[in-house]
Amino acid sequence: MSTLELHVDVEVPVDKAWETLHRVENYPRFVDGVRGARTAGGRAHLDVEAGGRAREIEAEVTDRGERVMEWLTTGTPELTGSFSVQPIDQNHTRIQARLEYDPGTVRDAFGGPKGFAQTNAIQRLVRSDLEHFKEYVERD
């Protein structure tokens, strides 16, 4: 299992960042490859296109502790992760993303490079999604 942790600082109050992160239906606006998203009964349903493949991913989403949202896919690919939202000051917030994944499973599900190149590709993708979230939440 591989673990990736990245963060981005946004220029919005913590409550706005937290609320925006919970609006799963807006994920297509800032998460690369997500074409549609909805929630139902504590689960997020994402229509994803990656590596030329379209698929639906379902994840159980729970809030844990103070502003920590955890998620776990319910099928393949098997992924777990979390977002934590931490105030820096009154108008600045840090979004910490954590992703745990099996590189082979991700490659089987979405294609892409092997080994170190795949790890770099996933890191670039998550970093890009965090930057898109920053742009989205700051202009909203």
Side-chain angles (χ1 to χ4, degrees):
M1 200 57 95
S2 294
T3 301
L4 174 64
E5 290 187 18
L6 295 170
H7 74 271
V8 67
D9 295 341
V10 297
E11 294 182 32
V12 298
V14 69
D15 289 337
K16 181 176 180 178
W18 181 247
E19 290 169 16
T20 303
L21 192 60
H22 273 79
R23 286 190 222 127
V24 173
E25 65 275 5
N26 290 329
Y27 280 25
R29 297 180 181 184
F30 57 85
V31 179
D32 190 40
V34 174
R35 302 295 178 239
R38 63 196 180 286
T39 57
R43 292 183 182 224
H45 302 271
L46 305 175
D47 297 318
V48 177
E49 186 177 321
R53 301 176 187 174
R55 63 181 310 130
E56 183 172 317
I57 295 176
E58 183 175 283
E60 293 180 8
V61 180
T62 57
D63 288 344
R64 181 182 58 83
E66 188 65 22
R67 295 187 181 102
V68 176
M69 182 172 76
E70 294 182 333
W71 55 270
L72 166 67
T73 57
T74 58
T76 57
E78 206 172 294
L79 306 167
T80 61
S82 65
F83 296 104
S84 65
V85 180
Q86 306 152 352
I88 296 171
D89 62 30
Q90 186 175 354
N91 293 309
H92 296 86
T93 304
R94 175 162 290 162
I95 309 298
Q96 176 81 30
R98 185 170 202 272
L99 173 64
E100 294 180 20
Y101 64 97
D102 175 63
T105 302
V106 170
R107 187 171 190 294
D108 291 345
F110 300 114
K114 293 183 179 180
F116 187 69
Q118 181 189 42
T119 300
N120 285 340
I122 291 171
Q123 184 173 357
R124 280 192 310 273
L125 181 63
V126 172
R127 185 174 307 285
S128 175
D129 290 345
L130 287 172
E131 288 300 323
H132 289 134
F133 177 80
K134 175 182 175 66
E135 293 168 11
Y136 177 76
V137 73
E138 288 178 355
R139 78 169 177 252
D140 184 30

